[in-house]
Every structure is written in structure tokens, then in C-alpha cells.
Amino acid sequence: MADLPRVTIHDVAIVAGVAVSSVSRVFSNHPSVSPSMRLRVEAAVKKIGYQPDLVAQSLRTGTTRTVGLMVRDFSNFFYGEMTKAMVSSMSEAGYNLLIMNSPGDAEGDSKMIEMFAQKRVDALFLATASDKSEVIRKSINAFKNPVVLLDRDFSHLVAGRVFADHATGLQSATKDLIALGHRNIALVTGTAGIRPTRERCKGFNDAFKESKIKNGVAAPITGIPSTSNARAKTKELMNLPKSKRPTAMITGGVDVTIGVLECLSEMELTPGQDLSLVAGDDLPWLRVLRPRISTVSRDYQLFGLTAADLMLSLLSGEKPKTITLPTRYEARDTSRPV
Amino acid sequence: MADLPRVTIHDVAIVAGVAVSSVSRVFSNHPSVSPSMRLRVEAAVKKIGYQPDLVAQSLRTGTTRTVGLMVRDFSNFFYGEMTKAMVSSMSEAGYNLLIMNSPGDAEGDSKMIEMFAQKRVDALFLATASDKSEVIRKSINAFKNPVVLLDRDFSHLVAGRVFADHATGLQSATKDLIALGHRNIALVTGTAGIRPTRERCKGFNDAFKESKIKNGVAAPITGIPSTSNARAKTKELMNLPKSKRPTAMITGGVDVTIGVLECLSEMELTPGQDLSLVAGDDLPWLRVLRPRISTVSRDYQLFGLTAADLMLSLLSGEKPKTITLPTRYEARDTSRPV
DNA sequence: TTGAAAGCGTTACCAC
DNA sequence: GTGGTAACGCTTTCAA
């Protein structure tokens, strides 16, 4: 436990018999350093095992080579895949990721962002709990380094944005179900406070408008944040009198999908038979389920990769832009005629 | 983009008309600071919107209140749940998590650990690619702050350890299958370079030894790291002539489970009917699968929580210890007589 | 209780 | 090309 004193650039200077500034130059590949100097310094470094202190470097240079990442739920498969891709890309470029859980409320998110600022991160990846909150918007605005929003759409905010085109996928799915004769379709999804939900609702509603059917029941059910919530809501829907019960369901988000499936399986209802079902997000294990569930899918890792690329471009001084990634509706065994 | 100069403790001192040291004392709740001083400083802080610079603090105090976390795969459900729990617990205690992907090889892991050291993290959570590598052992040893190993068991290393008792769960599962008449059971799992695999093999082999059956084929198949590998290996096994084909399979790890299920479903083989199957790790969606797959389950979030608690105890100066968390075999529809 | 000043380990400017 | 030195923003003695 004896805290042996740290080996500093000073020690290297002494051992090599040169000035600290020269040692520093060697490390930063400064143009004007003689070969002999480089050799002496490198020998000394090897001899005493010096490693630069990144904290001191940060204080001096004002850059930490650390980027903050805040999401709501790391155990969510989408965020897991995304994080994995981001960590790889960013670390290749010499950046580390500092992670925080979004507390789930605006005040909390705001505090987190300020925390990141105090840690002096060079940039921020953000999937905030809401993208309509003025408090959050303010703290993002106060943060003077690059920001990339992950499927969040604050207005009047200079930031990079990566979007998934949920609307188009959802619209295709809904149109297909309508074409199959469904009139009462339930879209069960998360809070309207964030973009993905709003986009899903939009695609859903647009499909109904477009097809001009009468008696269509297109009431998106939002505010279902968790697996257990989704399970309960599904039960409620399935227990409705037959005339009011939806003949098809569309889920929004991975948690909701699991909850809906859990409920159906509890109630011994078979999707594709007792009702039609479209999962609003793809999951690897959906492939082993029988019947095969229709999905609106997209590439999660690509999302992370794209966000990282965008971030690196911002970090190198380019202008923020918005990139929208496609989603694709895949009809499988559970898109059936009424 | 005009980088307005940072508001420092110095500015506060000037505005409040006091010394910087006094401002510092107010912030660190030093006992000897008069109420009037506190008021003046707080007013000044509010007036100019000062927020302490954590990097400068770190350099001065030698502590970053940042803990490193290295795992192989954030998209793995287990690590996701674990990470989530850790981030919560640690951040409650005022610590942030800096994350890195394990490159998957010893040299890479070693470099990452040195990187963490340069970033001066206060401690390290580690799920290394191997726990038999001397290179990795050395870099962990060179790291002078607390370390908690996540289901990794380096010998001769002072570190906290959190283990899952895979052996017991696997042993129960294997015994059950043997009792059901299975003699040729395939355990398909990851690399033997890490503890979970070794423990699973141990439990598996112990069950065979203990039951003293003759002609038992107990050859664990290790070195299957990914979903696609598992799928290929399963295909190979299922295509074996009937006399050599296993009548039961046990998977080790979440990726393997998915791969095996994918293959079975491709080959139109039904677990519980065409062969018995035990998933060596639980997953939330296993509950919606029919037939219901037998599993060896454990509490993932508890794992993260326990690791965080252990870490905090180390951080407060307590001695490292090893905590082993239970696993539980749950026979469901896919543990069937031969 | 308060203030002055040293120093944490770097980098970058300025002489030489 | 190299060396000295002043910061970076903070905490922590040490005096007063």
C-alpha cells in the first residue's frame, strides 16, 4: 500500500539529463527535436517506466479525450449494440466514453449534463428522457462542446442528430395491416416525450389517413415505458369485449415487445392466429420464435457507428448535420387477414 | 463559438472580495468557515455561475472519482444488466464509469488497463478476455488502486472478486438429465480461458463422475465464443449419426444459447421433443418461448450491485474479498426422458 | 477564521 | 534545437 511517488516527466528529464520541455517535445512529436535527443529521452523513459499523466495533460490542454454518453437503459438491446459500436469507433480515434444513466426525468438529465461539463468531457452523446424539456435544452445549450443527439430532436439547438426513420417503417406496417382488413389496430409504445414515439405515432396515423377507411380505430397508446406496463396494457386490451378489442397490435420499442409477448403467452393467445402482431423493433431472438413475428427492423450497430462518425466530424470542426437511418417493415407469419 | 474564458475559483474570490482558499473551504465544507463568509461566497458563485473544474481537482487531489469498466461485449444482455446496476450504484456514491471494450486478446486487455492507469481512474472493474494470462496479471498488478474482478479468477492477485456459482447450477442440470436417462450430453460453451467456462465444465464433469454411469459421454465442447459459432457447432452435432448424436444439450452463455436455438429452429428440431435442452443462462425472452426452455438462472443485476458494493468497500479501505452468487437450475419443458 | 503561496504534472511560449 | 518558466484551476499547508 506504500504509495510510491509517481514517475513524472521531471524524473525523465533528470535521468536523461535534459529539460522537461524537451521531454515533452519528444512525446508530442514536435518537429524540432534531434535524433540524439529522442534517443536519450526514450532510453530514460524505458529505464524508469514513465507514462504521461493524462489528467495533468487535460488540465493543461483543456481537452480530455473523453466523451460523455447518457442513455436511459444499458440493458436495452438497442442501446447495448449502439454502445458497443460507439466505444469501438471512438476508442480507435483515441477517445474514451464516460457513461451515465439518465435518471429518467428532465431535472435529473439536466444535472447529469452539468456533471459531464464539470468533468470537462470533449463532447456528448445524448439520449435524454425527453426532447421537449426546456430545462434539458438549456443545459445542452450551456455545454459548449459538440453534442450528438441519439434519436432525440430538440428544436433550436446546434447539435448533430442521428435519427431512425420509424415513421416510414410503422406506416408500411400499418398499411399492410389495414390492407389485410384490420380496422382496430393498437399501437402500444413509450412516452410521447421523445422522438421515436412521436415518429411511430405519425407513421401509424398517416397510414390510416392515407387509406381513407371509415370506422378505423387509430388511437396510439403511448406512455408505456416498461415490459410490465406493456404486459398490463395488453391484458387490458385483450379483455375488451370483442367488438372493441383490437385485431392487430403494433409494439414500439424492445421492452414493450417483450411485455406484449409475455402477456399473450400467459393468456394462451397465439399471434398470427388470435391476432396480428408487428414488433416495432427487431431483436435477435425474434428469429427463433415460432410463429415468426413481423417486424420493423433497423441496424442498431450502424446507428452507433453513424453517431460515432458524426461525432468525430464535429470534433474535427465540421458543421453539425442530421442523419436519418432507414427502417424496414418485414411481414412474416403474424401479419394475417382479419 | 467564441470560447468565453472559464469562470474559475479565482473569479469567485474577486467578486466575493475574499481569498481563493476561502472559496475552496466553502466548497469542501471545511469546519472553520464563518456563516458570513459562506454567504458572501455563495452569492458570488450564484452571481457568476461558477462550477468547480473536476479535472483541476483531480490533478491536485490525485483522485478522479472515476472508475474504469472493461468488458468484452456491451450488447450481451448479462453485461448490459450488470453495467446498468453498476452505473446506478456507483454514481449514487459519486463515482462515474469510464468504459472500454476488451479487445478480446491478452495484449489488448493489458494495454487497456495501462490506459486506465494513465487516465488515473480510482479503481477498475474487469472482465478480461482471459484470467490465465500472465501479461494481464502483470498490468493489473501494476495498477495500484482497487480492482474488482467480474467472474474472473487470477491467482496471486490482490483484488475483489465476484463469482457466479456456475458449477452448482450446471451440476444440477446435468444430474437431472442423467437421471432422465441421457448418456450423451453436449455442453457447448465459450473459451476455457475464463472462469465461467471452467466452472461450467467442472459442474458438468462432476455430475457424470458422481452418478457413476458407464458409457457416459461427457465431453464439454469449449471455445465457442459467438452465436454463429454455436449455430455451426450445433448443426455439426445434430448431423452426427444417431448413435453418436447427443440426446441433450446444455449451453453456456447467452450468445451460445441464441445460436443453438437458431440452428434447431432452422433444422426444424423441437427442443424437448427431438432433444433435451438446458440454457446455461437465463434471458427475459426465454419466458415467451414455447416450449419453455429449462435454464440455469441467476440474478444479473444483483451481480452488478454486488460488484459495486464490493468496490465501494475497497474504495473505503476495506480488504478485498470474494463473493460467490448462486445459480439455480430450473427444469421446464425441455428436460425430458430420452 | 482567513489569506498567501506552493505545487499537482503537464504544455507552450520565449529566449538563447 | 534546447532550456527555463509561466500558466492550467484547484487544494492544502502555514502564518497571521
Side-chain angles (χ1 to χ4, degrees):
Chain A
M1 279 288 160
D3 269 344
L4 33 162
R6 250 192 102 75
V7 179
T8 75
I9 199 173
H10 221 95
D11 303 321
V12 179
I14 292 171
V15 171
V18 300
V20 286
S21 41
S22 297
V23 181
S24 177
R25 269 184 227 110
V26 170
F27 267 85
S28 55
N29 290 317
H30 193 93
S32 52
V33 21
S34 68
S36 68
M37 170 68 84
R38 165 151 282 127
L39 250 45
R40 293 184 66 171
V41 169
E42 278 168 356
V45 164
K46 188 158 284 178
K47 186 171 176 191
I48 61 178
Y50 166 73
Q51 298 212 296
D53 182 325
L54 266 23
V55 172
Q57 257 178 23
S58 292
L59 178 61
R60 182 56 235 233
T61 63
T63 157
T64 53
R65 299 208 72 88
T66 299
V67 174
L69 164 66
M70 183 178 75
V71 304
R72 207 191 70 258
D73 184 1
F74 285 99
S75 68
N76 179 307
F77 182 74
F78 163 56
Y79 286 122
E81 290 276 297
M82 187 194 73
T83 302
K84 183 177 161 182
M86 289 201 301
V87 175
S88 303
S89 293
M90 294 304 291
S91 83
E92 248 173 65
Y95 287 92
N96 291 113
L97 253 51
L98 191 70
I99 59 177
M100 302 204 192
N101 269 339
S102 158
D105 63 288
E107 294 295 339
D109 278 10
S110 175
K111 288 266 172 294
M112 292 289 144
I113 294 167
E114 277 160 25
M115 187 50 148
F116 275 129
Q118 286 190 44
K119 283 256 180 180
R120 305 200 84 175
V121 295
D122 289 346
L124 236 32
F125 288 110
L126 254 26
T128 51
S130 153
D131 53 7
K132 289 291 176 191
S133 154
E134 195 51 29
V135 204
I136 300 181
R137 213 190 58 75
K138 265 193 189 132
S139 10
I140 298 181
N141 216 28
F143 181 79
K144 285 307 167 203
N145 289 332
V147 171
V148 168
L149 301 173
L150 308 166
D151 229 337
R152 295 296 181 272
D153 190 20
F154 286 91
S155 44
H156 310 299
L157 203 54
V158 182
R161 291 166 170 80
V162 182
F163 291 162
D165 183 13
H166 305 282
T168 302
L170 246 291
Q171 188 170 1
S172 307
T174 311
K175 273 169 71 176
D176 188 36
L177 291 173
I178 291 174
L180 288 166
H182 294 275
R183 289 300 173 267
N184 186 345
I185 307 174
L187 167 63
V188 181
T189 183
T191 162
I194 57 174
R195 180 182 180 281
T197 301
R198 294 194 302 269
E199 289 296 303
R200 288 190 175 111
C201 292
K202 182 176 178 302
F204 182 71
N205 290 327
D206 284 355
F208 270 91
K209 262 180 235 154
E210 203 179 292
S211 60
K212 293 181 194 130
I213 52 166
K214 304 181 209 300
N215 331 327
V217 179
I221 300 168
T222 61
I224 309 291
S226 70
T227 298
S228 55
N229 273 267
R231 189 165 45 202
K233 176 53 82 179
T234 308
K235 190 157 204 170
E236 192 186 316
L237 288 172
M238 290 301 116
N239 281 332
L240 248 34
K242 194 157 186 191
S243 63
K244 298 196 141 193
R245 191 189 313 155
T247 59
M249 287 184 72
I250 305 178
T251 63
V254 297
D255 291 336
V256 172
T257 304
I258 296 184
V260 170
L261 287 173
E262 277 182 11
C263 175
L264 293 180
S265 127
E266 262 170 38
M267 297 179 76
E268 315 242 327
L269 292 170
T270 308
Q273 192 171 308
D274 300 307
L275 82 168
S276 286
L277 179 65
V278 176
D281 259 312
D282 201 5
L283 289 165
W285 49 268
L286 282 180
R287 269 180 291 171
V288 306
L289 271 190
R290 292 293 175 278
R292 295 175 317 158
I293 313 256
S294 301
T295 61
V296 175
S297 65
R298 53 179 167 136
D299 189 332
Y300 298 144
Q301 295 212 199
L302 177 65
F303 193 99
L305 224 62
T306 306
D309 283 351
L310 178 54
M311 180 58 92
L312 292 173
S313 85
L314 297 188
L315 246 8
S316 67
E318 287 177 42
K319 283 217 158 55
K321 54 184 173 183
T322 298
I323 304 174
T324 302
L325 267 19
T327 64
R328 201 174 64 251
Y329 168 59
E330 290 175 43
R332 305 214 254 251
D333 305 337
T334 59
S335 301
R336 288 291 180 77
V338 187
Chain B
M1 279 288 157
D3 269 344
L4 34 162
R6 248 192 103 74
V7 179
T8 75
I9 198 173
H10 220 96
D11 303 322
V12 179
I14 292 170
V15 172
V18 299
V20 285
S21 41
S22 297
V23 180
S24 176
R25 269 183 227 112
V26 170
F27 267 85
S28 55
N29 288 318
H30 193 92
S32 51
V33 17
S34 67
S36 69
M37 171 67 84
R38 163 150 285 127
L39 251 46
R40 294 183 67 171
V41 170
E42 277 167 357
V45 165
K46 189 159 283 177
K47 186 172 177 191
I48 62 179
Y50 166 72
Q51 297 211 298
D53 182 325
L54 265 22
V55 171
Q57 253 176 28
S58 291
L59 179 60
R60 182 58 233 236
T61 63
T63 156
T64 53
R65 300 208 71 90
T66 297
V67 174
L69 165 65
M70 183 179 74
V71 304
R72 206 190 72 259
D73 184 1
F74 285 99
S75 68
N76 178 308
F77 183 73
F78 163 55
Y79 285 121
E81 289 277 296
M82 189 194 73
T83 301
K84 183 178 162 183
M86 279 182 179
V87 175
S88 302
S89 293
M90 296 304 292
S91 84
E92 247 172 66
Y95 287 92
N96 290 114
L97 254 50
L98 191 70
I99 59 177
M100 303 205 192
N101 268 338
S102 158
D105 62 289
E107 293 296 337
D109 277 11
S110 176
K111 289 265 172 295
M112 290 290 145
I113 294 168
E114 277 159 25
M115 187 50 149
F116 275 129
Q118 286 190 45
K119 283 256 180 180
R120 304 199 83 174
V121 295
D122 289 347
L124 236 32
F125 287 110
L126 254 25
T128 51
S130 153
D131 53 7
K132 290 292 176 190
S133 154
E134 194 52 28
V135 204
I136 300 181
R137 213 189 58 74
K138 266 194 188 130
S139 8
I140 298 181
N141 216 29
F143 182 79
K144 286 308 168 201
N145 288 333
V147 171
V148 168
L149 301 172
L150 308 168
D151 229 338
R152 296 294 181 272
D153 190 18
F154 286 92
S155 43
H156 310 298
L157 203 55
V158 182
R161 290 166 170 80
V162 183
F163 291 161
D165 183 12
H166 305 282
T168 301
L170 245 291
Q171 188 170 1
S172 307
T174 311
K175 272 168 74 176
D176 188 36
L177 291 173
I178 290 175
L180 288 166
H182 294 275
R183 290 298 174 265
N184 187 344
I185 307 174
L187 167 63
V188 181
T189 183
T191 161
I194 57 174
R195 181 182 179 280
T197 301
R198 295 194 302 269
E199 289 295 303
R200 287 189 175 113
C201 292
K202 182 176 178 304
F204 182 69
N205 289 327
D206 284 355
F208 270 91
K209 264 180 235 156
E210 205 180 291
S211 60
K212 293 184 195 128
I213 52 164
K214 306 180 210 298
N215 332 327
V217 179
I221 300 168
T222 62
I224 309 292
S226 70
T227 298
S228 56
N229 274 266
R231 189 166 43 203
K233 175 53 82 177
T234 308
K235 191 156 203 170
E236 192 187 316
L237 288 173
M238 290 301 116
N239 280 332
L240 249 32
K242 194 157 189 193
S243 63
K244 298 196 142 196
R245 193 190 311 153
T247 59
M249 287 184 72
I250 306 178
T251 63
V254 296
D255 291 335
V256 172
T257 304
I258 296 185
V260 170
L261 287 173
E262 277 182 12
C263 174
L264 293 180
S265 128
E266 262 171 36
M267 298 178 76
E268 315 243 324
L269 292 171
T270 308
Q273 192 170 306
D274 300 306
L275 82 168
S276 285
L277 179 65
V278 177
D281 259 313
D282 202 5
L283 289 165
W285 49 268
L286 282 179
R287 269 180 291 170
V288 305
L289 272 189
R290 291 295 175 277
R292 295 174 319 156
I293 314 259
S294 302
T295 62
V296 174
S297 65
R298 53 179 166 136
D299 188 332
Y300 298 144
Q301 294 212 200
L302 178 65
F303 194 99
L305 225 60
T306 307
D309 283 350
L310 178 54
M311 180 59 92
L312 292 173
S313 84
L314 298 187
L315 246 9
S316 68
E318 286 176 44
K319 282 216 158 56
K321 54 185 173 183
T322 298
I323 305 174
T324 302
L325 266 20
T327 64
R328 201 175 64 251
Y329 168 59
E330 288 175 43
R332 304 213 254 249
D333 305 337
T334 60
S335 302
R336 288 291 181 76
V338 188

